[in-house]
Each structure stands twice: as C-alpha cells, then as structure tokens.
Amino acid sequence: LMYCLIHFLVKDPSLALTMLRYFFRHWPIQTARKQLVMLGFVENIINQIDLTTLSSVAPLILVNLAKILRNPHFQVADRC
C-alpha cells in the first residue's frame, strides 16, 4: 500500500494534503500497533514531499502530532 501511495505522491505532490487528512481522519484510537504503522506511513509521506508542499501541510501535521504525543502508550509517543 505504501509503495503505491508514494508513487502517486511522486507524480502529484499536491496529493500529500489529501493523504495526510485521510490518515489523520482514520487514525486508530485503541490499538498501539496500528498507530505505529500509521506513523510509519506519515513519516514516509513527509520524507517524499518537497519543502513547498511541506509548508502547506505543516499545520495539519503539527496539530495531529501534538495529539499523538499525549498518547498513553510509550512506543507511540516515543515514535511520534
């Protein structure tokens, strides 16, 4: 799944905002393992986008990462 998403993102960097909104909207609340997988997806997306796109999605990323940092599970908060 991540391989396909990265290819779409390389072809059209404007999809980064849509992808990140989707991931944060469907963020798992109870399962730490799923949260760690989703953090990996978000990390890969951030690594693939350029600085101009990053500046447009930075507020969305920072607000949601602040919420994730308050997670009681230590691995999720540490990875964030």
Side-chain angles (χ1 to χ4, degrees), residues 39-63:
L39 276 173
F41 285 164
V42 171
E43 182 181 357
N44 285 334
I45 290 171
I46 292 171
N47 287 335
Q48 293 298 320
I49 58 179
D50 57 354
L51 290 177
T52 56
T53 308
L54 183 61
S55 64
S56 67
V57 298
L60 174 70
I61 294 170
L62 293 176
V63 166

Side-chain angles (χ1 to χ4, degrees), residues 23-52:
F23 281 127
F24 290 131
R25 189 179 321 126
H26 294 86
W27 196 263
I29 296 172
Q30 299 271 332
T31 311
R33 183 174 291 164
K34 288 180 184 179
Q35 289 179 354
L36 291 171
V37 170
M38 293 290 270
L39 276 173
F41 285 164
V42 171
E43 182 181 357
N44 285 334
I45 290 171
I46 292 171
N47 287 335
Q48 293 298 320
I49 58 179
D50 57 354
L51 290 177
T52 56

